[in-house]
């Protein structure tokens, strides 16, 4: 992100654009930029999202784009996410863009 940009801090409201992929083969399963989707807002660092997101976004600043990869235990765990065809313990890669910090 730009020098001096506002950083993500624990408990702040963060809005991101995101594309999620299975790390193996980089098969996309979801994107906020898909038709009918919109940017996603959550409170950072407090467990509202998967651990890999919480840990990854806490290192980012407003306007930054980053690619974050995580092991299955930081993603959807042994259950996976069947609705998105994510198998249990799958490694995940997300392209995150911080578009707003409140």
């Amino acid at each position: 992100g730009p020098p001096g940009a506002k950083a993500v801090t624990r408990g702040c409201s963060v809005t991101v654009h995101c594309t999620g992929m299975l790390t193996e083969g980089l098969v996309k399963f979801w994107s906020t930029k898909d038709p009918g989707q919109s940017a996603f807002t959550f409170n950072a660092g407090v467990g509202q999202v998967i651990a890999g997101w919480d840990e990854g976004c806490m290192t980012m600043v407003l306007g930054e784009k980053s690619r974050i990869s995580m092991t299955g235990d930081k993603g959807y765990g042994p259950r996976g996410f069947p609705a998105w065809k994510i198998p249990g313990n799958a490694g995940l890669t997300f392209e995150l863009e911080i578009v707003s910090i409140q």
Side-chain angles (χ1 to χ4, degrees), residues 10-96:
R10 184 174 306 279
C12 71
S13 176
V14 180
T15 301
V16 298
H17 266 302
C18 167
T19 298
M21 297 162 279
L22 298 177
T23 301
E24 187 174 323
L26 295 180
V27 177
K28 183 180 94 168
F29 56 81
W30 172 67
S31 178
T32 57
K33 296 184 176 182
D34 286 344
Q37 298 291 314
S38 57
F40 179 76
T41 301
F42 63 98
N43 291 327
V46 295
Q48 287 189 351
V49 292
I50 57 176
W53 268 41
D54 257 353
E55 293 172 13
C57 78
M58 294 296 292
T59 68
M60 295 178 69
V61 298
L62 184 62
E64 183 175 357
K65 292 181 183 179
S66 185
R67 182 174 274 205
I68 296 170
S69 294
M70 64 198 71
T71 52
D73 60 314
K74 302 279 187 178
Y76 295 103
R79 287 190 303 258
F81 199 125
W84 285 351
K85 299 182 174 59
I86 298 173
N89 295 315
L92 305 176
T93 297
F94 289 94
E95 290 175 352
L96 287 179

